[in-house]
Amino acid sequence: MNPAVVKALAWMLLAVPGLWMLWSFSQGEVLAMDMLHPSGEMSIRLMILAMLPGPLSDFFGSNRFFRAWLAIRRNLGVAAFGYALLHLAFYILDMRSVAAMLDELGLPGIWTGWLALALMIPPAAISFNLAMRRLGRNWKKVQRLVYLALIIGLVHWVLLDWAWQPALVHLAPLMIAWILRLIGRGRRNRRQRSMA
Ligand code: HEM
């Protein structure tokens, strides 16, 4: 399929949950507070989905499926940032005043959310082609901030829920993919040494 079509389809699919959240809220079916969980969770899930194809295609080898997944990796990352902004918008609507937001800024469960969002800004800001070309090797370095954003986003989740399980369940596929990548690299290195 044409890459432009794949990307357009990806944008449409990625927008559906957000539009549903906004629609339900605008109809008064749910409160802003009820949308904090789905918007925050969606942001984390999309970040993870953006991080998975690299290590998985490293281990299993390149094929059409992984190439298509890799091609929409940036869309997934930008959408993760979009859902984090939506999450913030619901938080602001829920809190209703700057004073109330400042009041709870010192809570670990809250400042970790702000920090995770702040760390997502530079990678999202340079996610377009021109920035990629201009920054060259530095582009990847800035993109690495998303790993930190993910970890802090997960800590934010643990601190709010006082439970490790949901965050760990989300982190598990990524841990498995990273372990597979290490196994793959180890195998390749051994093969190269034995051929030398
Ligand atoms: C902009 C700063 C942020 C603030 C002020 C904030 C605040 C909050 C609040 C008040 C909740 C609801 C807790 C409850 O259920 O009572 C929440 C939930 C959540 N947030 Fe954030 N958040 C922020 C950024 C983020 C970011 C950037 C992410 C993802 C990377 C994130 C992920 C989550 C998740 C997954 C939940 C669901 C926790 C749960 O209810 O089970 N948050 N956040």
Side-chain angles (χ1 to χ4, degrees):
M1 209 191 286
N2 181 320
V5 177
V6 173
K7 283 193 181 221
L9 280 176
W11 277 129
M12 277 191 256
L13 279 176
L14 290 168
V16 171
L19 292 174
W20 166 78
M21 287 176 213
L22 286 169
W23 173 257
S24 316
F25 179 68
S26 71
Q27 296 304 298
E29 289 167 14
V30 290
L31 300 172
M33 172 198 211
D34 301 325
M35 291 292 101
L36 285 171
H37 179 87
S39 54
E41 196 174 59
M42 193 69 192
S43 178
I44 297 256
R45 286 184 178 173
L46 290 173
M47 260 198 262
I48 292 169
L49 276 178
M51 290 174 188
L52 278 174
L56 287 182
S57 67
D58 237 24
F59 181 77
F60 292 108
S62 177
N63 59 33
R64 280 178 73 179
F65 174 71
F66 285 130
R67 276 197 296 277
W69 193 354
L70 282 166
I72 59 158
R73 193 163 48 167
R74 256 192 293 159
N75 307 51
L76 292 165
V78 174
F81 180 64
Y83 278 95
L85 289 179
L86 188 61
H87 182 69
L88 174 62
F90 284 127
Y91 174 72
I92 294 170
L93 287 166
D94 180 47
M95 295 303 283
R96 292 202 183 121
S97 79
V98 176
M101 282 161 56
L102 288 176
D103 213 34
E104 64 171 35
L105 191 61
L107 298 174
I110 296 300
W111 66 254
T112 43
W114 284 102
L115 182 57
L117 182 74
L119 287 166
M120 289 169 91
I121 295 172
I126 57 150
S127 60
F128 52 96
N129 289 341
L130 182 66
M132 204 173 170
R133 278 198 299 274
R134 287 252 169 100
L135 288 168
R137 286 171 137 241
N138 289 330
W139 190 83
K140 271 216 154 164
K141 283 188 195 157
V142 178
Q143 288 299 319
R144 290 206 181 107
L145 284 176
V146 294
Y147 294 104
L148 206 55
L150 174 70
I151 300 300
I152 294 171
L154 289 170
V155 170
H156 165 67
W157 196 349
V158 170
L159 290 171
L160 287 170
D161 262 12
W162 282 110
W164 285 97
Q165 293 89 327
L168 275 186
V169 165
H170 281 78
L171 190 61
L174 209 51
M175 299 295 286
I176 294 169
W178 283 333
I179 290 169
L180 288 177
R181 174 183 257 172
L182 284 179
I183 294 173
R185 280 187 185 165
R187 262 197 226 143
R188 276 198 296 275
N189 286 345
R190 273 197 300 280
R191 216 176 301 140
Q192 272 164 7
R193 272 201 300 274
S194 70
M195 280 163 72

